[in-house]
Structure formats: C-alpha cells, structure tokens
Amino acid sequence: MKNKSANAPEMHGLPDELRLMQHCPLCKYKYETNDIFVVEEREETRLAHITCGQCKNAVLAVIVMSRFGVSSVGVVTDLCPEDVIRARNRLSISQDDVLSFYSLLERVNIFEKLITPKR
C-alpha cells in the first residue's frame, strides 16, 4: 500500500478497515494492496485514494471505524493522490469570500456576462 502522506503512518498489509473496498465499483477488478494510498489517518478515520489496476479509475474513500463497526463512503474521482493532498492542505473558502467575489463581479458587470448565453 502506498503511503506517502506525512500525516499517515506506514501501515503494513491491508488493514481490516480497508478490506471493505476490495473491488473497483466500475469494473469489479479486485484491488491490490499497492493500489491503495492512505492520504490521511485520524483516530478512527482513514481517507484513502484507490486506483484500479485494471481500468485505472480512482475512488476517494472515507473509512470510519466505530464501536458499531466499520463504514465507508467512496466517490469516483479524477484526482490523483497528490491532488487530494494539495486540496486537503488548502484553506477553506468562507461564505464572506464567496459574497465578496460575487459583489466584485456585480460591480464590474462580469457576472451577467458570464451567465448570459452568447447570441
């Protein structure tokens, strides 16, 4: 299993919590250990990037372990592991940032030009 993130310690073999994600949801090919990249590990939660060795599609999965068991949610993505790390390290955009940007677009009349179909 690839594991290059400074936030995620090396894990040998395929941990039980990652065994839920055994097959590619698109082509059903069985994942191999080196297809999985643990992006981040926090207490009972893992963020994993999994690239199918067969069809090369990728899944970003959040795996949560609790006293009730293990659950996971995955989404097909075109991001590579490095993109996920880069996105995780960026600052969030606040509501004020969005409103400020909208106000800027309104002042210079750009917003209307962007959403109006060209004739």
Side-chain angles (χ1 to χ4, degrees):
M1 175 175 7
K2 300 175 208 165
N3 194 345
K4 299 175 189 170
S5 174
N7 297 334
E10 185 66 36
M11 296 166 35
H12 301 285
L14 190 59
D16 289 339
E17 66 271 12
L18 294 179
R19 291 188 181 163
L20 286 174
M21 307 292 294
Q22 288 189 15
H23 297 89
C24 174
L26 301 172
C27 74
K28 307 301 182 212
Y29 184 77
K30 186 170 182 170
Y31 290 130
E32 296 181 23
T33 303
N34 63 351
D35 294 334
I36 301 171
F37 179 93
V38 178
V39 176
E40 191 171 330
E41 242 182 300
R42 289 189 191 172
E43 298 173 11
E44 292 89 23
T45 305
R46 309 282 184 276
L47 176 62
H49 183 280
I50 309 164
T51 303
C52 177
Q54 178 75 23
C55 70
K56 305 301 181 202
N57 285 296
V59 173
L60 191 59
V62 176
I63 299 107
V64 180
M65 297 149 296
S66 72
R67 61 185 175 154
F68 302 109
V70 179
S71 63
S72 67
V73 176
V75 63
V76 177
T77 183
D78 63 347
L79 298 175
C80 66
E82 293 77 16
D83 291 337
V84 176
I85 292 168
R86 202 170 23 257
R88 294 282 301 149
N89 292 331
R90 287 196 177 160
L91 295 175
S92 299
I93 297 173
S94 71
Q95 293 173 349
D96 289 339
D97 293 335
V98 174
L99 292 173
S100 295
F101 185 66
Y102 176 80
S103 295
L104 173 69
L105 292 176
E106 280 292 304
R107 279 196 304 261
V108 293
N109 201 22
I110 293 174
F111 184 70
E112 187 176 328
K113 291 177 185 175
L114 288 174
I115 65 170
T116 304
K118 294 181 182 180
R119 298 175 198 229

